[in-house]
Structure formats: C-alpha cells, structure tokens
C-alpha cells in the first residue's frame, strides 16, 4: 500500500454524501467492477492507495454542513479490507461522524466490521446506521473461488445476525449473479431464506446478471480460464463484448426474488433501498423531538 494526502473526501449533492478512504482492494473478487479502466487507476489494484488525511478532511467537511444527513462509504473500495486492521481509518471516520451527529452507511464483505459494532450501535441510536453486506454465493467452495480473500457468505450472515440483535438495519447486495456459475435456484433461494431469517430491511438486485467493462473483463476472463476451463468461450459466444450479461435463468430467479421479498416485506428495488439508506428516517426525527 502507499499513502497520499487527498484534496477532498466527500462527494454528493447535499442530501447525502459518499466517501472512499481507500482506493483498490485486497479481497480479490474475480468480478470486481472497480478494476474497470474507466476509474483511471494509476497503480496496481492491490497496491492500496490510503488517503491518510481522510479523518481530518472529513471533520472539516462535516463541521461546515448545517443539515445532518447520511454519509456512505464502500461503494468503490471495501472500507474493512486487510489494511484497516492496522490503520483504523474507517473507525476514525465513523467516530467523527458520531461526534458530529450524522448518520452513516457502509458496504462491505468483511466480518472486520464487527470490530466497530459498538461504535456502529452508538451512531444508530443517535442518528442512523445501515450495514450493507454483499452476498452472492451460498456454496463455501465456490465462494472461495469467486471472493477468495474475504470471509464466506455464512460468516457474513453471522455478521447480519449480530446487527439484528442490536436493531441495526441491514441491506444486502445480492449481486453480481454470474451466468453459468452461481445463477441457480438453489443458490438464490438459500441466500434469500437467510436474509429473511436475519431480518434484512432490503435486498439490492440488478437483474440477476453481471456487468463487464474494459479492465474488469480481462481479469474476470483470466479467472474463468483458471477455475472454469472453457467457460470464457461460452461467455464470448453468447455475450460478445456486451456490458450487461444477464443470466439465462434471470426470469425464473427474478420471480423467486420478488416473491420472497414481497412475502416478507423486504424492500426489493434499488430505488427503494437507496432511498431508505440515504435518508434520516422519521424514526430518528421523532426520537429527537421526544428527547427535547
């Protein structure tokens, strides 16, 4: 990894903001869109760029905001990858969010988030905190191939269960679903049933498929050659160089997804989930009124 002094940390339109404390990732997921060349990495993806002044930038930015809102992180690089164990920059940024009365949401695949569960609990009680967890693959052996350097799905379910015990809301990203690999009824049903069991608030699905761009596509196809010989050629024959690669089973899987979400009152469209995560809800406004 290498360290830089960033010029700014927050992006957004005023209603909510996002930040990336790190650039790059060490989780090694074979489908990672963040590898795409459009993001203009000038260093190897695994050579993590650390924005060492992120806490200072965040504190300065939040003190200038008059309206409290949600601060999100993890959309480009997982904030709980391996280097967070030593650097603790994500934790420091969460402390600053708490001290300034803002809400927060984090997307991760890592159980390292449990190291900060007490802090997350505090933010959720005083404002709002939503934990977002990616779940793609129920089979442990397959998960190890697709997401090799991070805890498996069953461990991530345990993380969601721990959040449920503290009434910390959770949203699951059930994406990407890889054609001919994890796009089975059994896989989708197993993940959804666990989401119901641990009480997730919403599940994000972008149509039961995969997207590939220049940079990401080459890395993914190299992984297919290594772990699934012959599958790359099947992809190229069916999809060419398309950006969107829907599963041949998409219609059936979408039906299962919508039915289980509807039966269990789970938010099931990206718009619903993002709206929920990006707004400080009435619950927290009401709490503030009653506390006066």
């Amino acid at each position: 990894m290498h360290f830089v002094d960033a010029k700014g940390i927050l992006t957004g339109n005023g209603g909510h903001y996002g930040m990336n404390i790190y650039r790059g990732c060490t989780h090694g997921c074979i489908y990672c869109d963040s590898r795409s060349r459009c993001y203009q990495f000038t260093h190897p993806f695994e050579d993590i760029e650390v924005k060492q002044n992120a806490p200072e930038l965040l504190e300065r930015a939040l003190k200038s905001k008059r309206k409290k809102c949600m601060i999100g992180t993890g959309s480009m690089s997982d904030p709980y990858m391996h280097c967070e164990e030593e650097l603790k920059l994500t934790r420091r940024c969460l402390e600053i969010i708490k001290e300034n009365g803002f809400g927060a949401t984090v997307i991760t695949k890592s159980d390292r988030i449990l190291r900060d569960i007490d802090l997350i609990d505090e933010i959720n009680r005083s404002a709002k905190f939503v934990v977002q967890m990616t779940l793609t693959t129920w089979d442990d052996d397959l998960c190890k191939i697709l997401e090799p350097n991070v805890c498996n799905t069953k461990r991530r379910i345990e993380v969601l269960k721990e959040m449920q015990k503290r009434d910390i809301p959770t949203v699951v990203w059930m994406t990407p679903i890889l054609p001919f690999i994890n796009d089975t009824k059994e896989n989708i049903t197993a993940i959804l049933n666990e989401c119901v069991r641990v009480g997730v608030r919403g599940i994000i699905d972008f149509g039961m498929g995969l997207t590939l761009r220049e940079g990401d596509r080459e890395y993914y196809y190299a992984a297919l050659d290594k772990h699934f010989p012959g599958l790359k050629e099947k992809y190229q024959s069916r999809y060419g160089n398309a950006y969107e690669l829907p599963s041949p089973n998409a219609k059936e899987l979408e039906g299962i997804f919508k039915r289980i979400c509807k039966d269990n009152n789970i938010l099931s469209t990206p718009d619903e989930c993002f709206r929920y995560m990006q707004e400080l809800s009435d619950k927290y406004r009401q709490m503030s009124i009653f506390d006066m």
Side-chain angles (χ1 to χ4, degrees), residues 174 177 183-186 188-189 192-193 203 205-209 247-264 266 268:
M174 197 172 66
I177 301 302
D183 59 337
T184 66
K185 176 180 177 180
E186 292 75 18
I188 299 302
T189 302
L192 290 171
N193 286 342
I203 304 173
D205 154 57
F206 288 111
M208 299 294 172
S247 164
N249 306 321
K251 185 175 181 180
E252 178 189 17
L253 300 180
E254 280 291 324
I256 295 169
F257 171 71
K258 291 176 181 178
R259 174 179 56 80
I260 292 178
C261 288
K262 181 178 180 181
D263 289 348
N264 294 279
I266 295 173
S268 60

Side-chain angles (χ1 to χ4, degrees), residues 204-223:
I204 295 173
D205 154 57
F206 288 111
M208 299 294 172
L210 167 70
T211 61
L212 291 178
R213 291 189 265 213
E214 188 178 5
D216 173 24
R217 180 181 289 108
E218 289 81 357
Y219 190 85
Y220 182 68
Y221 279 169

Side-chain angles (χ1 to χ4, degrees), residues 27-274:
H27 286 166
C29 303
I30 70 170
Y31 51 73
C32 182
D33 177 71
S34 293
R35 293 180 180 274
S36 300
R37 290 181 188 168
C38 62
Y39 299 118
Q40 300 178 334
F41 274 80
T42 57
H43 57 86
F45 193 70
E46 288 77 14
D47 177 16
I48 307 304
E49 181 178 287
V50 179
K51 298 177 183 178
Q52 60 187 352
N53 60 336
E56 293 78 12
L57 291 173
L58 180 62
E59 186 160 29
R60 190 183 314 151
L62 294 188
K63 288 186 181 302
S64 70
K65 309 296 181 190
R66 296 182 62 184
K67 181 182 177 182
K68 306 301 182 185
C69 63
M70 296 292 286
I71 309 296
T73 190
S75 61
M76 283 291 295
S77 298
D78 198 308
Y80 285 103
M81 70 182 103
H82 302 81
C83 59
E84 174 64 14
E85 292 184 13
E86 173 189 350
L87 299 176
K88 297 182 174 61
L89 287 178
T90 298
R91 180 175 180 86
R92 180 59 190 134
C93 286
L94 293 182
E95 290 172 341
I96 291 167
I97 288 170
K98 177 180 76 72
E99 291 162 3
N100 287 274
F102 286 74
T105 180
V106 168
I107 180 170
T108 185
K109 292 186 177 82
S110 176
D111 57 354
R112 293 184 189 89
I113 194 172
L114 290 176
R115 297 167 181 241
D116 293 341
I117 193 169
D118 290 342
L119 177 57
I120 290 168
D121 195 14
E122 289 181 44
I123 296 172
N124 189 52
R125 292 178 185 277
S126 63
K128 180 181 178 182
F129 201 109
V130 183
V131 172
Q132 303 174 63
M133 186 68 71
T134 300
L135 308 176
T136 66
T137 308
W138 185 247
D139 179 84
D140 287 348
D141 292 335
L142 181 57
C143 187
K144 187 65 176 175
I145 293 172
L146 305 184
E147 301 157 350
N149 302 325
V150 68
C151 63
N152 64 22
T153 298
K154 294 179 180 62
R155 176 57 177 159
R156 294 176 220 170
I157 291 288
E158 292 175 5
V159 172
L160 295 173
K161 183 66 175 177
E162 289 302 310
M163 300 300 166
Q164 182 190 37
K165 290 178 182 177
R166 296 178 181 240
D167 294 322
I168 298 166
T170 55
V171 168
V172 161
W173 288 69
M174 197 172 66
T175 181
I177 301 302
L178 311 179
F180 313 113
I181 297 178
N182 63 347
D183 59 337
T184 66
K185 176 180 177 180
E186 292 75 18
N187 181 52
I188 299 302
T189 302
I191 293 173
L192 290 171
N193 286 342
E194 287 298 284
C195 288
V196 172
R197 184 176 70 85
V198 299
V200 305
R201 185 72 177 86
I203 304 173
I204 295 173
D205 154 57
F206 288 111
M208 299 294 172
L210 167 70
T211 61
L212 291 178
R213 291 189 265 213
E214 188 178 5
D216 173 24
R217 180 181 289 108
E218 289 81 357
Y219 190 85
Y220 182 68
Y221 279 169
L224 293 189
D225 281 340
K226 179 178 179 181
H227 299 289
F228 308 96
L231 190 52
K232 178 182 72 175
E233 289 73 23
K234 189 172 183 179
Y235 268 71
Q236 292 172 328
S237 174
R238 185 180 183 94
Y239 301 110
N241 287 323
Y243 170 62
E244 295 183 355
L245 287 68
S247 164
N249 306 321
K251 185 175 181 180
E252 178 189 17
L253 300 180
E254 280 291 324
I256 295 169
F257 171 71
K258 291 176 181 178
R259 174 179 56 80
I260 292 178
C261 288
K262 181 178 180 181
D263 289 348
N264 294 279
N265 297 314
I266 295 173
L267 301 176
S268 60
T269 69
D271 284 347
E272 289 175 327
C273 292
F274 290 137

